[in-house]
Amino acid sequence: MNKSLINIGTAVCRLIGQFTNKNISINKNSLPPVPAMVKFAKMHSIETMLYAGLKKSGFTDDELGDLPEQAELLSFCQIKNDAFAARLSANFSNAGIEHMIIKGIEFSKYYPPKLLRTSTDIDFYMSGKDAEKVARGLEERGFTRIEDDCTVIALVKKPYSHIEIHTNFDAATKKQSRFYADLLKNAQYKNNSRRYFSDENNLLFALLHLYKHFSKSGAGVRMLLDIYLIQKKCIFDRESIQKKTADLGIDNFFNSVCEISGYLFEGKSLDERLFPALEFFLSSGTFGTNDNYLKVNAAKHDSKTSKIKNYLKNDIGFSNENIKNKYPLTKKYPIFIPYFHMHRVVSGLIHKKDVVTQVKNDSKVITSDENEKQLLEVMELMGINIKS
């Protein structure tokens, strides 16, 4: 177990937790070194929250290196994103487009003001027909489409505008698919064509989003914090939540998330069995790591030979399916598949040494019995069966 990582991650989370829990007492002199905490915060995209926590604990800007400047820039970008999202939403409503603002901007309303919840993109949800219409309108205004598949259209515009228009979401079960399919129908109207989640559905959506990332490649502190703060801000019927999470197949996952969040942000006790899952969260960064992704995919196969074959086919190989996974644009425009085949061949020849090194390193990760044992233990603790 990586005790240093757990100590640093826990310290950062307690600094954040003091804004919602008056019982947390921070001794400035007992904290890990500031650079170590800043590095962890960057890994989890929570720099502004760490900055607020350190300031509340008596640190001056001079003691925090370039963290104040980073926090200021991220805050500025988030304020700009919030304003831009509001303008876009008003335009959609005027055009009669039913839509929702989801994820980061929506979750930010549960945060204390000094804990600015930052994100690098703006997420909308709407029908596929409306999504294409909106995407074309944004392209006319200088945005470039960088992803387009059956669930999302992503567009960017320099220097820092990134919009994702979701039309569906990955689901592990039919009931989860049904929940996503009914998003707009079950959402509440507040003005014109913009809809909003109820607090309960926001919690369920955040849980499913975390579940998806955690079971594929890991997920970090910011998603845990979203779920923790939704529950701190709102009063829920716990019996109803437990019933609905059970119906979605994530009740064990939800209970473990609550226990780990209570330990991180409130200093509650944590069952020793959950410490491997805690470490997995703390080591995964915002949306997981490549090593975790490789371990999860490898664990679905029994023999080392089949693990290697699957890796070479799906992560290194040149099948059309692999090209579609690597370059989402080709899912909608298959005519470009031959071009990306050639691109991968030429790139592989140019960077042959790097590719060989990558394959060697990745092979060690996916054939390690210890890696698989640790991964399966964590997933079992969280109520996830990755072999099914």
Side-chain angles (χ1 to χ4, degrees):
M1 187 169 294
N2 189 336
K3 292 183 179 180
S4 175
L5 172 67
I6 292 176
N7 288 338
I8 293 168
T10 301
V12 170
C13 290
R14 299 279 165 81
L15 284 163
I16 295 170
Q18 65 183 323
F19 283 92
T20 57
N21 192 319
K22 295 179 181 179
N23 295 324
I24 292 181
S25 177
I26 303 294
N27 181 351
K28 175 182 175 181
N29 296 322
S30 67
L31 290 169
V34 168
M37 291 191 288
V38 171
K39 181 179 179 181
F40 178 87
K42 286 181 178 179
M43 195 170 103
H44 290 264
S45 304
I46 53 173
E47 296 99 311
T48 55
M49 304 172 205
L50 172 62
Y51 175 63
L54 289 169
K55 291 292 287 183
K56 186 176 177 65
S57 299
F59 283 84
T60 65
D61 283 357
D62 290 340
E63 296 176 280
L64 302 179
D66 62 353
L67 181 61
E69 288 75 21
Q70 293 173 30
E72 182 178 10
L73 177 60
L74 288 167
S75 298
F76 170 78
C77 292
Q78 190 60 47
I79 291 168
K80 179 182 177 298
N81 274 348
D82 289 347
F84 188 35
R87 291 200 304 273
L88 286 174
S89 178
N91 290 339
F92 299 160
S93 293
N94 291 336
I97 296 173
E98 290 192 346
H99 67 283
M100 300 172 68
I101 297 177
I102 57 173
K103 297 186 182 179
I105 291 177
E106 175 68 5
F107 295 152
S108 67
K109 68 185 183 184
Y110 300 103
Y111 279 63
K114 289 187 178 180
L115 286 184
L116 186 62
R117 204 283 193 188
T118 60
S119 55
T120 56
D121 58 6
I122 301 171
D123 292 278
F124 291 98
Y125 178 79
M126 61 185 67
S127 71
K129 181 179 178 181
D130 286 333
E132 181 57 35
K133 178 181 176 182
V134 167
R136 288 178 180 174
L138 289 169
E139 286 175 317
E140 290 173 1
R141 289 161 177 78
F143 279 79
T144 301
R145 194 179 305 217
I146 60 169
E147 183 176 355
D148 188 345
D149 61 22
C150 57
T151 63
V152 63
I153 301 174
L155 305 102
V156 296
K157 182 179 180 180
K158 293 182 178 180
Y160 41 65
S161 292
H162 182 161
I163 296 173
E164 293 192 357
I165 309 169
H166 300 267
T167 58
N168 205 347
F169 299 91
D170 293 335
T173 67
K174 289 183 179 180
K175 289 186 176 180
Q176 290 181 16
S177 294
R178 185 76 263 155
F179 174 84
Y180 286 133
D182 291 341
L183 281 179
L184 282 175
K185 184 176 76 173
N186 292 336
Q188 303 167 346
Y189 278 113
K190 278 200 176 179
N191 55 18
N192 298 327
S193 299
R194 180 175 173 184
R195 295 194 177 200
Y196 294 77
F197 275 135
S198 66
D199 292 324
E200 185 176 273
N201 276 346
N202 247 335
L203 175 61
L204 294 173
F205 181 83
L207 276 165
L208 285 172
H209 188 54
L210 173 59
Y211 181 91
K212 179 194 80 169
H213 281 284
F214 189 91
S215 60
K216 287 187 174 181
S217 59
V221 166
R222 194 174 69 181
M223 288 193 195
L224 283 175
L225 189 58
D226 289 339
I227 292 164
Y228 171 75
L229 290 176
I230 292 173
Q231 294 182 87
K232 290 291 288 186
K233 184 100 180 247
C234 308
I235 299 174
F236 291 112
D237 179 341
R238 304 305 300 184
E239 188 175 334
S240 172
I241 295 293
Q242 285 295 153
K243 184 176 183 301
K244 289 180 179 180
T245 54
D247 194 48
L248 292 168
I250 57 172
D251 49 331
N252 290 335
F253 182 78
F254 173 53
N255 292 333
S256 296
V257 163
C258 289
E259 285 189 54
I260 291 170
S261 298
Y263 173 80
L264 286 174
F265 303 115
E266 295 185 3
K268 293 181 178 179
S269 61
L270 182 66
D271 190 320
E272 285 188 7
R273 295 183 308 106
L274 284 174
F275 270 89
L278 168 67
E279 183 179 354
F280 192 75
F281 272 113
L282 298 180
S283 65
S284 289
T286 311
F287 296 115
T289 66
N290 183 62
D291 275 6
N292 286 342
Y293 165 79
L294 293 173
K295 292 173 192 176
V296 168
N297 284 335
K300 296 175 182 177
H301 301 268
D302 294 327
S303 70
K304 291 185 179 181
T305 300
S306 62
K307 294 178 194 294
I308 292 293
K309 284 183 178 179
N310 176 70
Y311 165 70
L312 292 175
K313 177 183 177 182
N314 294 315
D315 292 286
I316 299 297
F318 294 90
S319 66
N320 285 347
E321 192 61 34
N322 187 37
I323 293 294
K324 290 178 182 178
N325 289 333
K326 293 285 186 183
Y327 310 101
L329 179 69
T330 58
K331 292 180 180 179
K332 188 165 186 177
Y333 303 104
I335 192 172
F336 291 117
I337 289 177
Y339 164 79
F340 283 106
H341 274 302
M342 289 301 301
H343 169 75
R344 291 207 71 197
V345 170
V346 173
S347 178
L349 290 173
I350 293 173
H351 304 287
K352 182 179 177 181
K353 185 177 180 180
D354 293 337
V355 172
V356 171
T357 301
Q358 177 193 342
V359 171
K360 286 182 178 179
N361 291 337
D362 289 350
S363 296
K364 291 178 182 177
V365 172
I366 65 179
T367 57
S368 167
D369 292 334
E370 185 61 26
N371 280 346
E372 180 168 336
K373 179 183 176 183
Q374 291 174 353
L375 176 73
L376 292 175
E377 178 187 4
V378 167
M379 293 299 171
E380 184 180 353
L381 286 168
M382 299 299 294
I384 300 172
N385 182 5
I386 60 177
K387 285 186 173 289
S388 61

